[in-house]
Amino acid sequence: ASHRLVDRVVALSAVDSANFATIYSSSRPGGIQPFVVREYVNGVTLLAILGHLKQVGSPFSVAAAASVADGLHAIHAAGCVPGTLKLTNVFVQQAGGIQLVDPAVTPVIADNKILQAPEIDLDAEATVPSDIYALGMLLKVLAAADDADPLGQLIAECTHRDPGARPKSAEA
């Protein structure tokens, strides 16, 4: 398991995207204590601000969704499929941007079950379509939080129960 994590961290360290917190260093297999050194993100998690989205409205939700999609696309292009997108690893920077933080290194816990693809519940390996599903569920959460639904068709496509019917890429 530690070799798989190291492989994922190595793949993520190659990601070059404004929407992904850069990974600078990490532990090696067999090390005493696993660690990852990444770029500091000055901001708060999306989960922390969900209740305030009605105040900023749909333009923020659409921009946030596009930023997350761009970050996921860059991660996929680096050969990594996180399968763990959740509200606590999407950060809203104090300067206004959006960054994904450690989506492939963070374990699956309760806060991302609402975004998780149904096939992951069946112990299937994460795939690009399962990440697309999580992106669609994130869009659904954003649309519900700001009482607007400019993303309805995209949400329906991303959250299709059949992984083969989802968009093939997170490219925005």
Side-chain angles (χ1 to χ4, degrees):
S2 67
H3 287 288
R4 188 170 147 195
L5 177 61
V6 170
D7 291 344
R8 291 174 83 158
V9 171
V10 167
L12 286 172
S13 66
V15 174
D16 183 21
S17 171
N19 301 112
F20 179 73
T22 302
I23 292 179
Y24 298 118
S25 182
S26 65
S27 58
R28 300 289 171 237
I32 296 173
Q33 181 68 36
F35 69 89
V36 174
V37 179
R38 67 159 170 81
E39 172 185 2
Y40 173 73
V41 179
N42 187 12
V44 297
T45 68
L46 190 55
L47 181 63
I49 66 157
L50 269 182
H52 302 285
L53 287 184
K54 288 180 184 170
Q55 297 167 3
V56 294
S58 295
F60 171 82
S61 293
V62 171
S67 294
V68 170
D70 286 345
L72 265 182
H73 181 69
I75 291 167
H76 292 157
C80 193
V81 181
T84 56
L85 181 65
K86 56 185 177 275
L87 300 173
T88 54
N89 61 14
V90 176
F91 271 70
V92 180
Q93 298 171 312
Q94 207 167 36
I98 300 288
Q99 272 192 309
L100 295 177
V101 176
D102 309 326
V105 224
T106 311
V108 176
I109 53 174
D111 81 309
N112 75 321
K113 288 288 188 181
I114 61 168
L115 306 183
Q116 187 171 302
E119 63 270 17
I120 300 298
D121 281 339
L122 302 173
D123 292 330
E125 281 291 315
T127 61
V128 171
S130 59
D131 279 350
I132 299 299
Y133 183 92
L135 175 62
M137 291 303 290
L138 177 74
L139 300 176
K140 196 172 188 176
V141 167
L142 288 169
D146 74 11
D147 282 341
D149 195 359
L151 306 166
Q153 180 62 32
L154 183 58
I155 291 169
E157 290 172 10
C158 290
T159 59
H160 198 284
R161 297 241 358 129
D162 177 6
R166 297 176 197 147
K168 304 299 179 225
S169 167
E171 190 169 23

